Amino acid sequence: MNCHNLLEKQTVEIERLKEAVQLARPIAWVKVHNLPDYVYFNHSQHVVSGVACQRCHGAVEQMDRVAQTSPLTMGWCLDCHRSNAHLPGSGLERAVQGLNQHPKPVAGLDCGSCHY
């Protein structure tokens, strides 16, 4: 159920989802947000970093039917990472961050984060 557990607005579709989960019946999803096959995306990195769903997906809580509102292209993602990265710049900053036992995730620019 993931995020669907948090929805206050109940719809016929949400009720169908709940029923399928309770009966352990597979769901025939209609893919909305498409990325190329050679791109790996994991939501958890963004959730842990406090990135709101709406930042990439638009105001899904107001949509009758979810639609892709952002291009989700490499350039679009990199622009967001560059403007929100707060990446440690100097060697000292990187060393201090490395000493922290639980460093806060940062928006990286490493190719291997998405392409592997």
Side-chain angles (χ1 to χ4, degrees), residues 13-115:
E13 288 82 9
I14 297 298
E15 291 303 318
R16 287 184 195 155
L17 178 62
K18 285 181 182 178
E19 180 182 353
V21 169
Q22 288 172 351
L23 299 173
R25 188 174 63 221
I27 299 166
W29 293 106
V30 176
K31 193 167 185 173
V32 176
H33 298 86
N34 291 306
L35 296 174
D37 290 340
Y38 52 84
V39 173
Y40 171 76
F41 181 81
N42 184 335
H43 279 95
S44 67
Q45 296 166 342
H46 288 78
V47 172
V48 168
S49 298
V51 178
C53 303
Q54 293 81 354
R55 183 169 210 143
C56 302
H57 296 293
V60 290
E61 71 280 4
Q62 298 173 2
M63 294 179 188
D64 290 329
R65 185 168 295 262
V66 176
Q68 184 170 328
T69 60
S70 301
L72 304 179
T73 61
M74 184 171 127
W76 183 83
C77 293
L78 287 174
D79 285 346
C80 183
H81 277 222
R82 283 184 189 111
S83 63
N84 296 288
H86 310 293
L87 292 170
S90 71
L92 177 60
E93 289 177 71
R94 286 192 299 275
V96 169
Q97 184 181 18
L99 292 175
N100 188 343
Q101 290 182 3
H102 301 287
K104 183 179 178 190
V106 294
L109 301 174
D110 177 40
C111 301
S113 295
C114 300
H115 298 280

